[in-house]
Structures are given as structure tokens and as C-alpha cells.
């Protein structure tokens, strides 16, 4: 039986994007099960559907022959162990530890950026981005940390590489951040922008973007900056 991955709306669900891109880019077959957001109240259709397979009632959830795995880091580790031939973590022990470290930092950090700049792939919000950049020092600090982190990793690789050379969990994990930088046109150095563009051009990421653009959903509770689709 193929893996099943339960996800939310592709335009908005940054957490869903991570394992979906990981599986697609690695060429691992899976069945996508979309549970569209209606609300996050306990009685919502979304919550009822997801709670039926996961005790936390959140997406993403990976189901392998009836066995559910939730939380993006746990999913990444499970998939990497299940498909060792795909080399989803770097082979070198120190590089692997660093990759896990940066994914964990993303998992628990960058709260100002995530809060002020929710993922919205369909939208183009450069004017909003300029105001956020002007008014929110926490966002500037988060982006500075990202640029430092990515810049150090990229400097150790050949030109045009991803964070650890070939595609790894780390690139999938940071793909929603790349979407935010694009949507809000946040100012980043040329090498960082080039990395963002390389991630956006990955076939697995491009497939997710195409899916997000095709949804045509507009959810008020996910849209702090727009009253409707442009």
C-alpha cells in the first residue's frame, strides 16, 4: 500500500508543504489526501477529518499501512529511515547533524517571520513586505539569521548547490520560507535570492506551487492583508 499524506490547502499550509515536497522531490510514491481548511474549531469538518487519523488534529499526517506519523520532523525521519536509498539526510555525520540542527531551529524558531508573513503562494504582497520590513525588527532579525545560516552552508558547497549539495530534508524544510521571501519580496542578498530561486525551480516545489495556484480558495482567516483574490 502506498503512503498516504494528509495535507491542508497548498496555498496556505506551510507545514504540509514540507513533507509533500520531500516525498515528491525524492520520487517516493504517495497518495495525497487534501483536507481543505474550513476553520480550526473543534467542530469543524477539517478537525473532525484529521482527528479521525491523528490525535493532535493537525496536518500534515503521514499514514503508512494504517500507521499514522504526525509532526513534520517525525515524518522526515520516518521517511528517511523507510527509504534509505534516497539519501534524504547528508551522508557525512557532521553534515547530517548540522542538517538536523537547522531543521529543528526552523521547527521551533523564526516566529516573527512566520507570524507576520504567513505563507500565501498565490498572493503578491511586496508593499506589505516593505511595511513589515520597516516596522517589525523581529522579522528583520529572523531574516538576518536565515541569511547567515543559509549563507554559511551555501559557501561550503559548489556554486549553484542546495544547502548540503544535493537535495535533502533541509531544503524541503525551508521551502515554505522561500515562498514567503518571494510573496513579500523581502530584501535578501543575491546569493540567498539565488538559492530561493533554485528551490522554487525544483520539480517537487514547482508541482506544489502549481497546485497552490490552481486551488482558487480564499480563506479570510488565512488572509490578514487582502480582502479578496487579486
Amino acid at each position: 500500500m502506498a503512503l498516504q499524506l494528509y495535507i491542508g490547502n497548498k496555498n496556505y499550509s506551510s507545514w504540509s508543504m514540507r513533507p509533500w515536497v520531500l516525498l515528491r522531490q525524492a520520487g517516493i510514491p504517495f497518495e495525497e489526501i487534501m483536507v481543505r481548511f474550513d476553520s480550526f474549531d473543534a467542530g469543524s469538518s477539517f478537525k473532525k477529518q484529521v482527528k479521525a487519523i491523528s490525535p493532535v488534529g493537525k496536518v500534515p499526517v503521514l499514514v503508512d499501512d494504517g500507521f499514522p506519523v504526525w509532526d513534520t520532523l517525525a515524518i522526515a525521519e520516518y521517511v528517511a529511515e523507510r527509504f534509505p536509498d534516497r539519501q534524504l539526510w547528508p551522508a557525512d555525520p557532521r553534515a547530517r547533524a548540522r542538517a538536523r540542527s537547522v531543521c529543528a531551529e526552523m521547527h521551533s524558531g523564526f516566529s516573527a517571520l512566520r507570524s507576520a508573513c504567513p505563507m500565501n503562494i498565490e498572493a503578491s504582497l511586496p508593499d506589505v513586505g516593505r511595511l513589515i520590513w520597516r516596522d517589525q525588527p523581529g522579522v528583520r532579525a529572523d531574516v538576518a539569521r536565515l541569511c547567515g545560516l543559509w549563507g554559511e552552508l551555501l559557501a561550503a558547497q559548489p556554486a549553484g548547490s542546495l544547502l548540503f549539495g544535493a537535495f535533502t530534508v533541509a531544503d524541503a524544510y525551508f521551502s515554505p520560507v522561500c515562498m514567503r521571501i518571494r510573496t513579500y519580496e523581502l530584501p535578501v542578498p543575491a546569493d540567498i535570492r539565488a538559492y530561493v530561486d533554485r528551490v522554487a525551480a525544483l520539480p517537487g516545489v514547482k508541482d506544489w506551487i502549481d497546485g497552490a495556484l490552481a486551488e482558487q480558495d480564499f480563506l479570510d482567516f488565512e488572509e490578514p492583508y487582502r480582502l479578496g483574490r487579486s
Side-chain angles (χ1 to χ4, degrees), residues 29-122:
F30 69 99
E31 177 189 359
E32 172 193 311
I33 301 176
M34 168 75 73
V35 186
R36 275 191 157 83
F37 296 151
D38 54 353
S39 84
F40 302 125
D41 295 335
S44 68
S45 175
F46 172 82
K47 280 293 185 184
K48 288 178 180 177
Q49 290 183 67
V50 180
K51 284 281 282 187
I53 57 164
S54 165
V56 297
K58 297 178 180 179
V59 288
V61 184
L62 181 75
V63 179
D64 185 5
D65 195 20
F67 178 74
V69 184
W70 58 91
D71 186 274
T72 52
L73 279 178
I75 292 170
E77 292 287 7
Y78 184 84
V79 171
E81 291 179 359
R82 179 90 152 66
F83 299 92
D85 59 310
R86 307 306 167 100
Q87 299 178 322
L88 298 179
W89 292 112
D92 177 78
R94 289 192 172 186
R96 190 162 61 248
R98 181 58 54 83
R100 286 188 165 112
S101 295
V102 301
C103 288
E105 183 178 353
M106 180 68 243
H107 195 273
S108 61
F110 303 100
S111 58
L113 176 63
R114 295 208 307 245
S115 176
C117 301
M119 192 174 83
N120 193 333
I121 292 172
E122 183 270 334

Side-chain angles (χ1 to χ4, degrees), residues 124-151:
S124 177
L125 301 170
D127 292 340
V128 172
R130 282 190 285 273
L131 290 174
I132 290 170
W133 192 259
R134 184 193 70 184
D135 296 338
Q136 301 207 31
V139 172
R140 296 196 298 271
D142 280 355
V143 172
R145 170 58 190 148
L146 277 169
C147 291
L149 185 159
W150 290 353

